[in-house]
Amino acid sequence: MKFYSLNKKASEVSFKDAVIRGLAPDKGLYFPEKITPLKNQFFEQIESLSNNEIAFEVIKQFVADEIPENDLKLIIEDTLCFDFPVVTLEENIATLELFHGPTMAFKDVGARFMARCLGYFNKLENTTEVTVLVATSGDTGGAVASGFLGVKGVNVVILYPSGKVSEVQEKQLTTLGENITALEVEGTFDDCQAMVKKAFLDNELKERLNLTSANSINVARWLPQMFYFFFAFKQLKNKNLDLVFSIPSGNFGNICAGMMAQQLGLPIHHFVASTNVNDVVPRYLKSGVYSPKPSFQTISNAMDVGDPSNFVRILEIYNHDIEILKEHLTSYSFTDEETLEAMKHLKNTANYIADPHGAVGYLGLKKYLASRTAQGVFLETAHPVKFLDVVAPVIDETISLPPQIQQIMDKEKVAIKISEYSDLKSYLLG
């Protein structure tokens, strides 16, 4: 399997090189040269397959022979060491819980898979140390830090916006030590992401460091997110209704992975990209004009993205044809006030505690299903305890801290403050 740059000005590369490089030399994101749908037999027997078996069938064509089957199966087994339950909340509305991993966020899967792939490639070739450079708007940082902690030959540098992540999120990426360094940036997530992209294009850094990224721009972070959608389909009892997924969307990696699952043959009828007031995609689908804008801070901070990196991959899937895209995608934006009301509603009617991101996903699904009958699933992407300052006042109830959170809350935060790209470059060059 080869991967090509979406800017179409760089050579095709292998899965391994796409993982190690992260971003193509022409600044483009990598995309697989072909997508071969899975056989009907796979879907007919999916309920009898384990999650590990499903994941192997889904990912193997993209990894190809660059990781032997037995090694790939071990990587998957080590990645998927937690549950992905579907919880029914209302008639034809369920949530897929993706927060049962080490850092209690959906990004645990991609981060763990990528870390193990990179570790495999490093061990295989005994290459020089790799520096993983990643920007986070919240959960990515903690998931990457946990996934890469202790991986030999890999140093991780995480940039996060000062004052714009929750206390739990900050603890998860600033307290691990070892091969993990946190850089606290005076600015927004978009500023962090811009610094990371600039670093990848800096010739001096490229000559002196082996840089890669663990954001969803990296194929090994992005593609494993396809697994969730297959796991949900496996658990659904009523497979006769049209299947609609509503995904809380910021950088659009998760929903793009769902669309890849659809390309593999998973019978998904429609996608809803549910956003907060950072509404670049909802506006694009209405106007036909893609117009990024500075991000605005909200209570669903992981979605505070003004220029979603993965949207170009979505356009590629649907041949850059907005009319075809609209057949598969609807997008709505919601305010913080609407999000809080949705959280209250879910607690009062279903006794379910949703985090702000899941609540946005619920709102999008309810709006889409208001005029049609379908089986709807919204993604609950993070445990509500990660947003205690928002959740606790809404539900008027104390949430006990899970073990994963308890063990970090008393640890001391260690972060290096930076304000501009030159600070990042100076740190990287030592």
Side-chain angles (χ1 to χ4, degrees):
M1 172 68 74
K2 294 292 185 183
F3 290 77
Y4 63 92
S5 167
L6 291 179
N7 283 348
K8 312 289 176 68
K9 295 178 182 177
S11 300
E12 292 184 345
V13 298
S14 64
F15 173 76
K16 172 189 159 189
D17 288 341
V19 172
I20 292 173
R21 291 183 182 182
L23 200 64
D26 64 355
K27 309 179 189 179
L29 272 63
Y30 283 115
F31 197 85
E33 62 177 344
K34 61 181 178 180
I35 306 166
T36 304
L38 299 170
K39 295 178 180 178
N40 290 336
Q41 182 183 4
F42 168 78
F43 295 99
E44 292 167 359
Q45 65 180 19
I46 195 167
E47 290 181 24
S48 66
L49 299 177
S50 69
N51 283 352
N52 290 356
E53 290 169 330
I54 292 169
F56 176 74
E57 293 299 322
V58 168
I59 202 73
K60 68 179 183 181
Q61 67 173 282
F62 302 102
V63 178
D65 58 356
E66 294 174 62
I67 299 177
E69 284 196 2
N70 286 339
D71 292 300
L72 181 57
K73 287 178 180 178
L74 288 173
I75 287 172
I76 289 170
E77 182 181 346
D78 203 21
T79 297
L80 303 177
C81 57
F82 44 92
D83 296 327
F84 303 84
V86 171
V87 180
T88 299
L89 301 178
E90 301 172 16
E91 184 179 3
N92 297 336
I93 289 184
T95 182
L96 173 63
E97 292 185 345
L98 301 176
F99 55 69
H100 293 277
T103 72
M104 316 206 82
F106 78 91
K107 295 175 181 179
D108 279 327
V109 169
R112 291 173 68 81
F113 184 83
M114 181 190 166
R116 282 144 186 80
C117 287
L118 202 54
Y120 174 84
F121 293 138
N122 270 6
K123 183 179 178 182
L124 187 68
E125 297 199 0
N126 195 26
T127 56
T128 57
E129 284 194 344
V130 173
T131 298
V132 174
L133 194 59
V134 60
T136 184
S137 57
D139 287 327
T140 294
V144 169
S146 172
F148 280 88
L149 183 65
V151 175
K152 292 183 179 179
V154 180
N155 294 314
V156 179
V157 179
I158 301 168
L159 286 73
Y160 74 98
S162 181
K164 295 179 175 62
V165 300
S166 75
E167 182 185 6
V168 171
Q169 289 173 323
E170 187 173 44
K171 287 281 189 177
Q172 286 183 322
L173 58 96
T174 62
T175 60
L176 294 179
E178 293 191 38
N179 59 326
I180 312 296
T181 301
L183 302 183
E184 185 176 358
V185 178
E186 291 297 330
T188 65
F189 167 73
D190 292 323
D191 295 322
C192 298
Q193 188 159 257
M195 286 188 194
V196 168
K197 288 183 176 179
K198 190 170 182 179
F200 282 114
L201 302 172
D202 189 313
N203 288 329
E204 185 179 3
L205 289 182
K206 286 194 290 185
E207 287 176 6
R208 295 179 56 179
L209 297 173
N210 197 2
L211 279 183
T212 191
S213 175
N215 282 87
S216 53
I217 60 175
N218 193 297
V219 296
R221 250 290 318 278
W222 163 56
L223 288 172
Q225 295 175 138
M226 295 186 293
F227 301 162
Y228 315 140
F229 300 90
F230 288 89
F231 297 164
F233 179 72
K234 169 188 172 181
Q235 295 175 69
L236 293 174
K237 303 303 180 186
N238 188 350
K239 293 184 170 62
N240 296 320
L241 290 177
D242 288 339
L243 178 55
V244 176
F245 277 101
S246 174
I247 297 97
S249 299
N251 231 357
F252 279 71
N254 227 10
I255 195 167
C256 185
M259 291 168 171
M260 290 291 288
Q262 183 190 54
Q263 297 297 303
L264 288 176
L266 192 64
I268 301 173
H269 176 71
H270 202 75
F271 293 95
V272 179
S274 302
T275 79
N276 54 31
V277 293
N278 294 283
D279 60 349
V280 174
V281 172
R283 287 186 293 111
Y284 167 72
L285 292 177
K286 288 180 181 177
S287 68
V289 178
Y290 187 78
S291 179
K293 63 178 184 178
S295 60
F296 185 82
Q297 187 173 358
T298 73
I299 60 172
S300 49
N301 67 304
M303 293 153 41
D304 294 348
V305 181
D307 187 8
S309 293
N310 281 287
F311 195 67
V312 66
R313 282 181 170 139
I314 290 176
L315 294 175
E316 186 76 0
I317 290 172
Y318 299 116
N319 298 315
H320 293 261
D321 188 323
I322 190 172
E323 296 307 319
I324 296 176
L325 176 59
K326 285 180 179 179
E327 293 175 11
H328 297 274
L329 177 67
T330 299
S331 190
Y332 308 115
S333 67
F334 300 96
T335 65
D336 280 354
E337 290 73 25
E338 290 172 306
T339 303
L340 292 169
E341 282 302 314
M343 293 165 66
K344 289 179 185 176
H345 174 78
L346 285 168
K347 182 63 172 68
N348 293 335
T349 61
N351 197 30
Y352 190 80
I353 302 175
D355 93 297
H357 306 79
V360 171
Y362 171 76
L363 284 168
L365 187 59
K366 288 287 284 187
K367 188 169 184 176
Y368 182 79
L369 294 182
S371 59
R372 51 182 64 81
T373 300
Q375 172 60 61
V377 179
F378 69 92
L379 272 52
E380 180 54 280
T381 53
H383 194 289
V385 77
K386 301 189 75 170
F387 305 94
L388 277 177
D389 57 331
V390 176
V391 177
V394 173
I395 64 170
D396 194 25
E397 180 181 313
T398 301
I399 305 176
S400 59
L401 296 180
Q404 297 101 309
I405 305 300
Q406 285 181 3
Q407 64 187 13
I408 63 166
M409 292 308 290
D410 291 332
K411 290 186 177 180
E412 184 181 353
K413 164 189 165 182
V414 178
I416 299 170
K417 291 192 174 184
I418 66 171
S419 59
E420 53 190 34
Y421 177 70
S422 60
D423 298 332
L424 170 62
K425 183 170 181 177
S426 295
Y427 172 78
L428 291 174
L429 293 177

